[in-house]
Amino acid sequence: MEDYHKPDQQTVQALRNIATRLRINSIRATTAAGSGHPTSCCSVAEIMSVLFFHTMKYHPEDPRNPSNDRFILSKGHAAPVLYAVWAETGYLKESELLNLRKIDSILEGHPVPKQQFVDVATGSLGQGLGAACGMAYTGKYFDKASYQVYCLLGDGEMSEGSVWEAMSFASFYQLDNLVAILDINRLGQSDPTPLQHHVEKYQRRCEAFGWHAVIVDGHSVEELCKVLSQPRHQPLAIIAKTIKGKGIPAAEDKMGWHGKPIPKDMAESLIKDLQSRIISTSKRLYPAPPTEDASPVSLRNIRMPNAPSYKPGDKIATRKAYGMALAKLGRYNEHVVALDGDTKNSTFAELFKNEHPNRYVECYIAEQNMVSVAIGCAVRDRNVVFASTFATFFSRAFDQLRMAAISESNINLCGSHCGVSIGEDGPSQMGLEDLAMFRAIPTATVFYPSDGVSAEKAVELAANTKGLCFIRTSRPENNIIYNSNEDFHIGQAKVVYKTNDDHVTVVGAGVTLHEALAAAEQLKKERINIRVIDPFTIKPLDSKTIIDNARATRGRIITVEDHYYEGGLGEAVCSAVVNETGFTVHRLAVSQVPRSGKPHELLHLFGIDRDAISQAVRKVLSSSANAK
């Protein structure tokens, strides 16, 4: 520790005073709000004081500066202490803290990015460290910059598997610019945590995951200063033994206080007592400025240099077209990065890796962490991030996806192997809920390309679209149906087959669009004409094109999808036409848990192939004839 400069006594006292003020302001804010987690704030007061006023290098007046050290409050319920820190820096007015949790205040119950000093929303526990890994990976390998990443976790969230996925990722990639501080305050929400104060057990677990782990007294400013100034050669876990409710005698280390504000009368005397502990010192602490070595990045106009090179009649699976498009996009845009969960030879993300190995991140079979890392990589607009796996495996990361929307994150996700059309692998591998899942997310755009041209256009559009983008790709090879110069837009469907006298409008996507086109040829022999629509995006759906064309077919619509009935294309079309008079929607979808079989057998078994479409068209026409 020869290079450790021990802080002088004035600095130590100033840090203790800040910790006391953080406690006071956390209590004040939560008591004023009538809700919140003051005891969870009080256990981390010294940690926050040392981090923000001794260790971290940043511009307090410019919280999103790309060169600043990063901080993630994974235990998001301790938000009031984070707000108190930013009041201490002068960025927030102290009076604003009293507006905590009010409808017109930016200081919400848990951190959200409408606060400039918050990069990712937290509060769904166990997710902060994964996002911190994405930031640290970006800092070390993409930005090659000096900024450090600090993540504060609660001991309760250490029960989440996603924390250990992140621990594993950080050590594998030697993220020596990452520090996790574990607030071991012994008490969870309704019970003590499983390991309580057995800090040595946490230490052994962190070491087993490849981290350097140090136990400290989390209320000792000196110990925190010392451990945070050590040189690092691997990720560091600081296991801080703390007391929940420290500084609140009635609540210290006691059950029953989690998420409860201090009553007003009690808070007043408590604040007086805490104020009496502040020992005046001439020292005023300011954060040190960072090394300005994170260069500016522009993510505007991420474009393909030329049109797709497919020709009508070519055959390609949209999953492969995704990989080819991503590699092409990466060739002309150095900030495009790709992540995958050990499925890159199935999603074809390997085509990107082969061309741009330094911008590919293998996340292994840890989809929750992959999504969190993607969110972290996209923070402060440092990268255009694509992450891929089988569509169905995103369902285990739904909470991370939901939090990505709350985080105002711009990430692009590609789910391959959708539907029963994957064939023999069976239902555990089939994405049949993914459209419902992504449609439910407010900031999501859902692409469902049906050939190589539209898949390439979807990749380019996603790269330039805010929010979450999901691209649903298929395993079977299908014909190219679009010319390479076809123009695609979000929310704009394509009429791919029509005559002047169509009887029914059929809406299909992916493999079912090709089945619909085959059904159109079959039915033509029976002098039945159908109009076929490719929606291209399921969200937003091009309601106008569907309604205008369905009017031409007397309101008769059939939807066909390789997805369960609930939440997919059929329901999207139903909600689009619900107010139209004289419209009927007949839906074809997968009605039960499927099984193994050949793709064409499964499409037939579940009634979503060309024969089923033709039969549905005849049925719709005969019932409308009978109605007359």
Side-chain angles (χ1 to χ4, degrees), residues 119-142:
D119 285 305
V120 293
T122 53
S124 183
L125 292 171
Q127 297 187 28
L129 191 60
C133 283
M135 295 183 204
Y137 192 99
T138 294
K140 182 169 182 170
Y141 296 108
F142 300 148

Side-chain angles (χ1 to χ4, degrees), residues 69 95 205 251 284 330 440 544 550 564 589 596 601:
D69 285 349
S95 57
R205 289 183 185 189
R284 180 93 174 84
K544 186 180 186 307
Y564 286 138
S596 291
E601 293 172 330

Side-chain angles (χ1 to χ4, degrees), residues 201-520:
K201 290 186 180 175
Y202 286 104
Q203 183 180 37
R204 287 202 295 274
R205 289 183 185 189
C206 293
E207 286 171 348
F209 273 78
W211 287 55
H212 179 50
V214 182
I215 295 167
V216 298
D217 172 355
H219 299 303
S220 164
V221 161
E222 297 94 328
E223 283 188 40
L224 289 163
C225 287
K226 185 173 178 179
V227 70
L228 282 161
S229 64
Q230 289 178 9
R232 297 192 295 277
H233 308 290
Q234 64 196 108
L236 170 65
I238 298 171
I239 296 149
K241 186 176 181 181
T242 61
I243 291 169
K244 193 163 183 174
K246 175 77 171 171
I248 308 171
E252 278 190 9
D253 199 33
K254 287 191 176 66
M255 284 302 302
W257 278 96
H258 182 91
K260 287 184 183 164
I262 309 301
K264 273 201 176 67
D265 51 346
M266 190 171 150
E268 281 167 24
S269 60
L270 181 57
I271 287 166
K272 279 195 184 113
D273 177 52
L274 286 167
Q275 281 168 334
S276 72
R277 297 184 201 181
I278 294 173
I279 298 165
S280 70
T281 166
S282 55
K283 193 121 189 189
R284 180 93 174 84
L285 299 181
Y286 296 98
T291 310
E292 306 282 348
D293 58 0
S295 50
V297 168
S298 171
L299 301 183
R300 283 223 167 92
N301 231 16
I302 307 287
R303 298 289 173 208
M304 291 289 190
N306 46 40
S309 54
Y310 305 106
K311 293 182 237 13
D314 288 357
K315 271 178 116 78
I316 190 170
T318 51
R319 62 175 177 141
K320 186 173 184 181
Y322 164 78
M324 290 171 71
L326 195 58
K328 180 175 171 181
L329 193 69
R331 223 170 287 156
Y332 301 93
N333 303 279
E334 62 180 356
H335 296 294
V336 173
V337 302
L339 286 61
D340 196 278
D342 192 27
T343 54
K344 58 185 171 290
N345 52 346
S346 292
T347 60
F348 283 91
E350 69 177 0
L351 300 178
F352 183 94
K353 185 197 175 187
N354 295 343
E355 263 192 66
H356 321 286
N358 296 336
R359 287 189 271 139
Y360 173 82
V361 187
E362 181 54 72
C363 295
Y364 299 97
I365 302 166
E367 292 84 4
Q368 294 184 6
N369 190 59
M370 177 177 76
V371 172
S372 291
V373 168
I375 293 166
C377 287
V379 151
R380 301 193 193 192
D381 295 331
R382 303 307 292 168
N383 302 292
V384 174
V385 185
F386 285 82
S388 50
T389 183
F390 285 20
T392 200
F393 301 146
F394 278 117
S395 59
R396 78 192 300 151
F398 185 54
D399 194 17
Q400 280 75 7
L401 296 166
R402 182 184 76 85
M403 290 303 291
I406 298 169
S407 293
E408 300 172 23
S409 186
N410 302 317
I411 55 172
N412 307 296
L413 307 151
C414 176
S416 71
H417 291 65
C418 66
V420 298
S421 59
I422 70 162
E424 290 84 346
D425 270 351
S428 69
Q429 313 299 297
M430 295 169 174
L432 290 159
E433 312 83 0
D434 52 302
L435 291 177
M437 178 168 75
F438 281 98
R439 281 183 65 225
I441 297 171
T443 66
T445 301
V446 180
F447 296 89
Y448 194 174
S450 296
D451 78 340
V453 174
S454 55
E456 184 167 316
K457 295 289 188 175
V459 168
E460 183 179 28
L461 285 165
N464 292 282
T465 301
K466 296 275 188 217
L468 271 72
C469 289
F470 175 60
I471 303 172
R472 186 179 211 235
T473 64
S474 306
R475 189 169 187 266
E477 291 188 348
N478 281 120
N479 289 332
I480 296 295
I481 52 178
Y482 293 109
N483 289 322
S484 60
N485 58 358
E486 183 78 33
D487 211 12
F488 284 85
H489 299 280
I490 289 167
Q492 191 177 95
K494 301 281 180 189
V495 180
V496 291
Y497 195 100
K498 70 182 283 194
T499 71
N500 292 329
D501 180 28
D502 290 327
H503 304 110
V504 179
T505 297
V506 177
V507 186
V511 293
T512 64
L513 184 75
H514 295 272
E515 293 298 319
L517 289 169

